[in-house]
Amino acid sequence: MQKWILITGASSGIGRIIAKYIDSCGYHVVLLARNKEKLESIQAELVRESLVISFDLTDLSGIESIFEVCQNTGIKLDGLVHCAGTGNVVPIRNTSAEDLILTMKTNFFSFFELGKCFSLRNYSNTGASIIAISSISPLTCLPGSAAYAASKASINTVVRVMSKEFMKRKIRVNAILPGYVNTPLGPAEDDVNYIAQQPLGIIKAEYVAYFTEYLLSDKAKYMTGTLFPMSGGMAF
């Protein structure tokens, strides 16, 4: 049976690495992000049949259309991996209401709407898996992280609620909470300032992908409602 996984934020960073890795593991992927050209470039590197959907997740009222496209293409989903996100290091006194709303819409509100749609029988298979790529920031609460950490804390809370509400369909819902990850927007692997905070080193995005595939698979069929820190030794 072909398993299809919807990955948000698939055009770069952790989302791109997850898409390529789970494709190599035998899954089919629906690549979602705003930049269609980047998505098509990644699609060209994949081994298996895939689907590209260009969409801005801040358009909350249009999120169901993503699932309608899948349905009209004959795809019923077995997994959702929410990697899309935004965030900057900004002190509370310099954070505008507009910036806070944008961060919440991109990171949290979109995940809420995606999960709501994914839970419908028309769009997903029983026993499917939802994974939020969250953050360790709500546990560390570092200065400048208020908006970002608040959006991720909201995700973490809703993951646990979803896991209970979606139990009737045996849909598992979990979150991975990475520390600093080596992505184009993250620190370099040899950045001594960040390594001082994260003694095991800056996390390679591939390791987030490995754990994502585990949670998507039947190997994790009894795991739901769990927040998994990937701290790299960071204190929290």
Side-chain angles (χ1 to χ4, degrees):
M1 175 183 173
Q2 294 183 345
K3 288 193 173 184
W4 283 88
I5 312 298
L6 170 62
I7 304 172
T8 72
S11 63
S12 62
I14 294 173
R16 174 179 177 273
I17 297 297
I18 288 174
K20 293 181 69 174
Y21 179 69
I22 66 172
D23 167 76
S24 73
C25 293
Y27 298 86
H28 297 266
V29 295
V30 179
L31 303 163
L32 183 103
R34 289 176 295 183
N35 191 313
K36 187 176 181 181
E37 289 184 3
K38 285 186 178 180
L39 292 175
E40 289 176 342
S41 175
I42 294 164
Q43 185 181 40
E45 300 175 20
L46 302 180
V47 175
R48 288 163 182 80
E49 179 186 2
S50 58
L51 176 67
V52 161
I53 301 177
S54 175
F55 188 83
D56 184 346
L57 286 172
T58 62
D59 176 14
L60 301 175
S61 63
I63 280 178
E64 188 166 4
S65 68
I66 297 166
F67 296 87
E68 291 170 347
V69 169
C70 293
Q71 184 183 45
N72 293 337
T73 313
I75 295 170
K76 201 167 187 182
L77 295 164
D78 296 282
L80 163 65
V81 183
H82 183 54
C83 301
T86 187
N88 296 306
V89 178
V90 183
I92 290 172
R93 65 179 181 275
N94 295 334
T95 300
S96 67
E98 291 75 16
D99 290 340
L100 181 60
I101 290 167
L102 178 61
T103 300
M104 293 297 289
K105 285 177 72 173
T106 305
N107 297 359
F108 170 59
F109 295 163
S110 65
F111 175 68
F112 192 99
E113 292 298 320
L114 287 160
K116 186 195 304 184
C117 294
F118 185 90
S119 70
L120 300 177
R121 293 180 184 275
N122 289 347
Y123 302 137
S124 66
N125 288 312
T126 296
S129 176
I130 297 175
I131 301 161
I133 305 302
S134 182
S135 169
I136 204 170
S137 61
L139 305 181
T140 57
C141 296
L142 296 175
S145 70
Y148 181 74
S151 70
K152 296 297 188 175
S154 298
I155 287 176
N156 296 349
T157 298
V158 167
V159 159
R160 300 187 70 184
V161 177
M162 282 183 179
S163 71
K164 295 177 172 66
E165 293 193 6
F166 299 171
M167 192 78 72
K168 291 180 180 178
R169 297 198 57 223
K170 297 184 178 180
I171 294 176
R172 296 176 291 108
V173 191
N174 295 288
I176 302 172
L177 284 55
Y180 297 122
V181 181
N182 180 218
T183 67
L185 296 179
E189 286 187 57
D190 58 354
D191 191 315
V192 293
N193 295 319
Y194 287 98
I195 291 172
Q197 299 177 55
Q198 197 164 290
L200 292 181
I202 307 306
I203 298 165
K204 293 182 179 179
E206 287 81 2
Y207 284 79
V208 181
Y210 301 155
F211 195 49
T212 299
E213 192 280 324
Y214 172 75
L215 291 175
L216 287 170
S217 75
D218 288 341
K219 296 186 288 290
K221 69 183 297 181
Y222 300 109
M223 294 182 178
T224 193
T226 305
L227 311 176
F228 295 97
M230 188 178 285
S231 69
M234 187 187 299
F236 58 88

